Amino acid sequence: MSEITPQTVTHLAGLARIALTEEEIQKLTGELGAIVDNVAKVSEVATPDVPATSHPIPLANVFRPDVPGVTLTTEEALAGAPEHDGSRFIVSAILGEEQ
């Protein structure tokens, strides 16, 4: 059985700065517990002679030459911007005062 308790979920929610209701805490306690239990089951069968894999079939990257191409001028890049100062985009701050 997993060691996930409502106190653990509350602690994790606090670290993630997520406000949870009591109902959500109870639901997540069960869901996270099931995840931990399943990871434990997989860990039981993962032995040193079984190679770790992230995909069932091998993946291969397709690379292209890194050749500079035609780029936009500053004026062209800023032409469609809602706000700019002539050389940079102006965007609203999205983080609070805790920056």
Side-chain angles (χ1 to χ4, degrees):
M1 195 66 185
S2 74
E3 299 175 13
I4 301 295
T5 65
Q7 292 77 19
T8 305
V9 173
T10 301
H11 176 70
L12 292 172
L15 292 174
R17 297 182 181 185
I18 300 172
L20 297 175
T21 65
E22 193 59 40
E23 181 180 311
E24 292 169 323
I25 291 170
Q26 293 304 320
K27 181 179 178 185
L28 286 171
T29 299
E31 290 176 355
L32 291 174
I35 292 169
V36 169
D37 291 342
N38 285 318
V39 169
K41 286 179 188 176
V42 170
S43 296
E44 289 174 7
V45 296
T47 61
D49 58 324
V50 177
T53 59
S54 61
H55 297 281
I57 57 173
L59 297 178
N61 283 332
V62 179
F63 294 101
R64 64 169 174 75
D66 191 11
V67 179
V70 178
T71 60
L72 298 176
T73 65
T74 302
E75 294 78 23
E76 291 171 328
L78 296 173
E83 290 187 67
H84 62 84
D85 68 1
S87 64
R88 295 174 294 196
F89 296 102
I90 297 175
V91 296
S92 302
I94 59 169
L95 300 176
E97 295 180 69
E98 69 263 0
Q99 296 181 26

